[in-house]
Amino acid sequence: MTNEGPLVLAAEVQKHATQEDCWIVVEGKVWDLTDFAPEHPGGLESITEHAGHDATEVYNAFHAPSLLPTTLGPRKLIGKLDPSTPLPTYQKPPPTSTPQLSTQPVEKPPLDTILSTHDFEAVASRTLTPKTWAFYSSAATDCHTLALNNSLFHRLLFRPRLLRNVRRVNTHTTLLGHPVSLPFFVSPAAMARMAHPEGEKALARGCASRGVMQCVSTNASFPIGEIVGAVREGDEEEEEGRREGRRRPVFFFQLYVNRERAKSEALLREVEALGVRAVVLTVDAPVAGKREADERVRAEGGLRAPMSGGEAGNDKKGGGMGRIMGSFVDPTVRWEDIGWIRRCTKLPLVLKGIQCAADAKMAMEMGVDGIIIVSHSVLRLVLSHVPRTMSTVADPVFAGLQAADEAITDSKKLRYVDIGINLGDPVFRGIYHGKRGHHDDFEHVLQRALEAGCRKLMVTGSDLKESEHAVDIAKAHPGLCYATIGVHPCSASQLASHPSGGPSAYLSSLRQLAESSRTAGHAVAFGEIGLDYDRLSLCPKETQLQVFDQQLDLAAELDLPLFLHMRAAMGDFERVMRKGESEGGGGGGGGEGKAGRWAKLQRRRGLVHSFTGTLEEMRRVVAMGFDVGVNGCSMKTEENVAVVREVPLERLQIETDGPWCEMRPSHASAPFLKDAPPLPKAVKKEKWTKEWMVKGRNEPCAITQVAWAVAKIKGIGVEEVCEAYVRILFPSLK
């Protein structure tokens, strides 16, 4: 008995050599593949032909070492092959191939005799197996695009500038802000293990040793964890890189979206957890092309990409690995799916495969972080890093590249943060006054927000239940939606009527929710708390004052900015806020614990949301150290407009407060919306379609109009408004 199970004689393994009873040996371990073989993506035959034999050689040629244990689990491990009883390896006849590709590989020449990429290609054509060479070198149908790309690439010239000191040349640059030693990267070609047993792991170690970025393919030969881990094993190449002062290796991940979207979602979470720096979405291969050279040479069964699940095989059309292994790719991916990817990961997103200026501009309008011009062949340029000396070449062949570059330069997408949106309201689910008005279009509302340039949405909580709902929305849309936790003044009566312990139990639950969701990154502010004397019919003044005071006690202990509400109550609002002001600021090294409540609240900072007060009230809010939130209701009257004009830009935040507070033609802000970017079409809910807004239901995409009106009122550019208001709640967007 060993720690890997009992010793198994070779004669015993050979008894299990049928489809109904299938054992194989890999790296000295005996596995039972009887149940797995019929489900094998590469077909039953590629498993059963090795039944009762040692399949180590063929397995290692195509699969990562971790695949068997991960796929089968310990229950299918029979034991360890008795080393005193060797087991023969199944000898499979060589695959059928076309005459021109049937030559056997020859020995590789010494590496120092290879002087150029052309030399590498020539050696590869002679030394790789016929199938490997066919897969690596082939292109679609008659290879016209491949030939044209090669021709165009050779015509791409720089405009040299002379008489510069070139004694020391520095090739270091950055890719999406990450330092690299050379201005190129290893492209995400699939199945590198076909050329070398270490495949992408060897590439990773080589890149790490020279500070080059590696983009790993969804169809890589190894799981992404093994590839990233290959440079963390203390090998000589990485140690050499550290000695020379190079930084940690930079990995990007190339994504083919799986038809089973949940698999892609899990993969994106994994790559982000591993420290990968960006996601590169391939957009120019929704279906596999006809690569004739690849089709003509039959594929070895069992070749499998562990991350995508794609497996090589043969059918009546041929043995095209690109076609058969790419069958998992979702052909329905559209521009709208960029929002889905954004919700799956916080990593920067690059689109690979853009080929015209119109799509380059569309990519920028959708807020992607970069594009790669490529037609699945030779011409590859990271457009955001193309210098003017390259992008303005006179050759008309490159007019498209220049147009794309100019489109990006002229279309730097504005970034908006809606700091107040009530996405928990039922109308965003198609329910009005308790009745279904149309289908749930919540995701379409979010998509319109993303298309408008919204990068963050703060979902407001009005009581404990709605705060929990806001957190649930934030959890479902990480990186886009964030929650506030608190009780609105109009809901303050809920504390006294709480069925499980009254106000103290209610506040305790509120604290727990705020602390846990803040730690998890879902909550970014405490509120909406404050006073609303315009709606005393919903909650008496005395109750509002009491609950506001209690929540401020809680807010002083929480590490969250304040999300405040004040309507027609400035005197009481300021008095309650400043409670404890005489207790001092806790200075002199005494720490916050000795500070009064007011001093703690000042350190939390925050904003007064949906401000509609007077000019004097606005100045008092600013003097207290808080920002002013502005939406459509903040610009209804001429007096409102005058207040907005005077709000210091560094203290101004913008919001929609949807589904309410939409901007209307009757408002004093209407003249300032002339030439503003149009909103999507709006129709009555009875005529709803998913592409259109609903009349009377304000949406976060309308933040563009709020920003435009504020900019025109203040006589500044919209860019200044967008850049000024993301400091407190979302400093990463500054």
Side-chain angles (χ1 to χ4, degrees):
M1 176 75 72
T2 71
N3 58 1
E4 296 171 340
L7 289 175
V8 183
L9 297 175
E12 179 63 24
V13 175
Q14 290 175 316
K15 294 178 182 178
H16 303 270
T18 66
Q19 176 179 330
E20 294 75 21
D21 187 9
C22 177
W23 290 8
I24 67 168
V25 175
V26 175
E27 297 290 359
K29 296 178 182 178
V30 183
W31 294 90
D32 183 356
L33 271 66
T34 307
D35 296 331
F36 174 73
E39 302 173 0
H40 184 227
L44 178 65
E45 181 183 351
S46 61
I47 295 288
T48 56
E49 66 186 7
H50 297 282
H53 290 80
D54 189 327
T56 300
E57 183 177 349
V58 67
Y59 175 88
N60 285 340
F62 301 126
H63 296 306
S66 61
L67 186 61
L68 263 180
T70 302
T71 303
L72 300 181
R75 291 187 302 169
K76 296 299 182 181
L77 178 60
I78 303 300
K80 186 173 182 179
L81 181 67
D82 188 334
S84 65
T85 60
L87 190 66
T89 299
Y90 173 73
Q91 299 297 320
K92 182 177 180 179
T96 303
S97 60
T98 51
Q100 63 269 30
L101 291 175
S102 62
T103 57
Q104 293 299 312
V106 298
E107 185 177 351
K108 295 177 183 177
L111 188 60
D112 58 11
T113 66
I114 299 177
L115 303 179
S116 69
T117 55
H118 297 291
D119 292 348
F120 272 110
E121 187 173 2
V123 171
S125 68
R126 299 193 303 268
T127 60
L128 296 176
T129 66
K131 184 59 183 177
T132 300
W133 173 248
F135 176 60
Y136 285 168
S137 65
S138 60
T141 53
D142 296 323
C143 300
H144 290 312
T145 302
L146 172 63
L148 182 60
N149 279 346
N150 273 308
S151 173
L152 293 180
F153 191 77
H154 289 301
R155 293 164 62 188
L156 187 62
L157 304 176
F158 292 92
R159 287 177 175 172
R161 300 300 304 275
L162 306 177
L163 294 177
R164 304 293 196 271
N165 185 346
V166 292
R167 175 176 294 178
R168 293 182 178 88
V169 177
N170 187 347
T171 60
H172 287 70
T173 185
T174 60
L175 290 177
L176 294 185
H178 301 291
V180 292
S181 63
L182 292 166
F184 57 77
F185 60 92
V186 172
S187 294
M191 304 307 295
R193 200 176 188 192
M194 294 174 65
H196 188 278
E198 287 292 286
E200 291 84 2
K201 295 198 293 186
L203 289 174
R205 287 191 286 267
C207 288
S209 73
R210 291 294 179 265
V212 175
M213 189 273 278
Q214 179 182 4
C215 189
V216 178
S217 171
T218 300
N219 279 327
S221 315
F222 297 93
I224 182 67
E226 293 187 23
I227 298 170
V228 173
V231 298
R232 298 174 180 169
E233 298 169 355
D235 55 73
E236 294 180 2
E237 288 86 350
E238 188 187 6
E239 185 61 34
E240 179 186 348
R242 284 198 294 268
R243 286 196 301 269
E244 295 181 8
R246 286 188 290 272
R247 304 192 182 196
R248 264 299 197 198
V250 177
F251 290 96
F252 287 7
F253 180 74
Q254 176 263 344
L255 176 69
Y256 283 114
V257 176
N258 199 303
R259 293 173 186 264
E260 300 179 49
R261 294 288 181 95
K263 292 184 177 180
S264 289
E265 291 173 359
L267 192 53
L268 288 171
R269 289 193 293 269
E270 180 184 1
V271 300
E272 184 170 344
L274 287 168
V276 172
R277 306 299 180 85
V279 173
V280 178
L281 174 67
T282 293
V283 297
D284 65 330
V287 294
K290 182 183 178 184
R291 301 167 66 175
E292 294 181 1
D294 187 24
E295 296 285 2
R296 289 192 176 101
V297 186
R298 290 181 60 81
E300 285 276 5
L303 183 63
R304 184 174 185 268
M307 287 186 284
S308 69
E311 186 138 3
N314 302 284
D315 57 21
K316 294 181 179 179
K317 295 182 179 179
M321 286 177 53
R323 173 177 57 84
I324 297 174
M325 294 185 68
S327 60
F328 74 93
V329 177
D330 187 348
T332 69
V333 176
R334 302 182 299 164
W335 286 105
E336 289 81 358
D337 291 309
I338 289 175
W340 163 71
I341 295 174
R342 290 292 197 191
R343 295 191 291 272
C344 293
T345 178
K346 298 177 183 178
L347 292 175
L349 178 63
V350 176
L351 301 188
K352 173 179 175 287
I354 297 296
Q355 297 171 51
C356 70
D359 280 344
K361 185 175 182 180
M362 177 75 78
M364 293 302 100
E365 290 174 349
M366 294 295 289
V368 302
D369 300 282
I371 65 172
I372 299 176
I373 296 178
V374 57
S375 60
H376 252 73
S377 186
V378 180
L379 185 58
R380 298 179 177 90
L381 301 173
V382 180
L383 190 58
S384 60
H385 296 279
V386 176
R388 283 291 176 181
T389 51
M390 178 183 290
S391 64
T392 56
V393 288
D395 194 328
V397 170
F398 295 100
L401 290 181
Q402 182 171 340
D405 186 32
E406 292 171 352
I408 291 173
T409 302
D410 296 338
S411 302
K412 295 297 185 183
K413 189 64 179 178
L414 296 174
R415 299 175 298 173
Y416 300 95
V417 177
D418 189 345
I419 58 95
I421 175 67
N422 304 278
L423 287 177
D425 194 283
V427 299
F428 290 119
R429 300 288 182 175
I431 299 173
Y432 300 79
H433 308 294
K435 296 182 180 180
R436 172 67 65 185
H438 53 76
H439 291 297
D440 183 341
D441 64 340
F442 186 83
E443 296 299 327
H444 299 292
V445 170
L446 293 186
Q447 185 59 44
R448 282 191 286 272
L450 287 168
E451 291 172 358
C454 286
R455 292 293 169 264
K456 308 286 180 183
L457 305 174
M458 193 159 76
V459 185
T460 53
S462 59
D463 56 30
L464 180 58
K465 182 179 179 181
E466 287 303 313
S467 295
E468 291 172 342
H469 188 192
V471 171
D472 288 339
I473 292 173
K475 290 179 179 178
H477 301 87
L480 174 63
C481 296
Y482 299 84
T484 73
I485 311 295
V487 180
H488 191 283
C490 295
S491 303
S493 299
Q494 290 187 14
L495 273 72
S497 60
H498 187 54
S500 304
S504 61
Y506 195 107
L507 289 168
S508 177
S509 297
L510 205 63
R511 175 194 286 272
Q512 292 175 13
L513 179 63
E515 290 178 339
S516 62
S517 54
R518 180 207 63 200
T519 301
H522 301 310
V524 293
F526 186 70
E528 180 176 355
I529 66 174
L531 300 173
D532 191 330
Y533 290 176
D534 278 343
R535 291 182 281 185
L536 292 176
S537 60
L538 298 177
C539 184
K541 175 179 178 180
E542 294 73 16
T543 303
Q544 290 191 34
L545 284 166
Q546 181 182 14
V547 172
F548 184 34
D549 188 55
Q550 291 171 330
Q551 290 192 94
L552 287 175
D553 284 341
L554 177 55
E557 305 306 321
L558 295 172
D559 187 19
L560 285 170
L562 299 181
F563 191 73
L564 299 163
H565 181 104
M566 192 284 295
R567 290 285 174 89
M570 187 63 204
D572 283 347
F573 176 84
E574 186 171 8
R575 176 180 58 81
V576 177
M577 285 288 296
R578 290 183 179 273
K579 179 180 176 181
E581 185 173 9
S582 61
E583 298 174 31
E592 187 173 275
K594 295 183 179 181
R597 187 179 80 178
W598 170 239
K600 293 180 180 180
L601 295 178
Q602 282 187 302
R603 291 171 188 156
R604 303 290 179 264
R605 297 193 63 188
L607 62 96
V608 177
H609 141 80
S610 192
F611 188 82
T612 58
T614 66
L615 180 60
E616 175 60 26
E617 289 171 342
M618 180 273 292
R619 288 172 174 163
R620 289 165 67 180
V621 167
V622 171
M624 292 167 67
F626 293 92
D627 287 10
V628 177
V630 174
N631 56 41
C633 290
S634 307
M635 297 179 280
K636 280 185 177 181
T637 68
E638 294 294 342
E639 183 183 8
N640 292 152
V641 169
V643 172
V644 170
R645 185 176 289 114
E646 297 301 320
V647 177
L649 185 60
E650 67 275 11
R651 290 296 179 85
L652 185 142
Q653 307 263 354
I654 62 173
E655 56 181 292
T656 60
D657 202 22
W660 312 291
C661 292
E662 65 179 342
M663 305 184 74
R664 298 179 178 176
S666 59
H667 290 178
S669 59
F672 298 99
L673 291 176
K674 183 181 179 181
D675 300 324
L679 293 175
K681 181 178 179 180
V683 298
K684 293 182 178 180
K685 62 180 182 295
E686 293 80 10
K687 296 183 179 180
W688 170 89
T689 69
K690 63 182 181 181
E691 293 85 6
W692 296 340
M693 296 172 62
V694 176
K695 285 185 176 180
R697 185 186 72 174
N698 198 15
E699 291 190 12
C701 67
I703 195 74
T704 58
Q705 302 236 317
V706 178
W708 186 277
V710 169
K712 298 306 177 183
I713 288 170
K714 298 181 77 65
I716 60 177
V718 181
E719 297 83 359
E720 293 183 67
V721 176
C722 291
E723 292 172 1
Y725 74 89
V726 294
R727 303 170 312 284
I728 299 177
L729 304 180
F730 304 101
S732 62
L733 284 185
K734 186 175 180 180

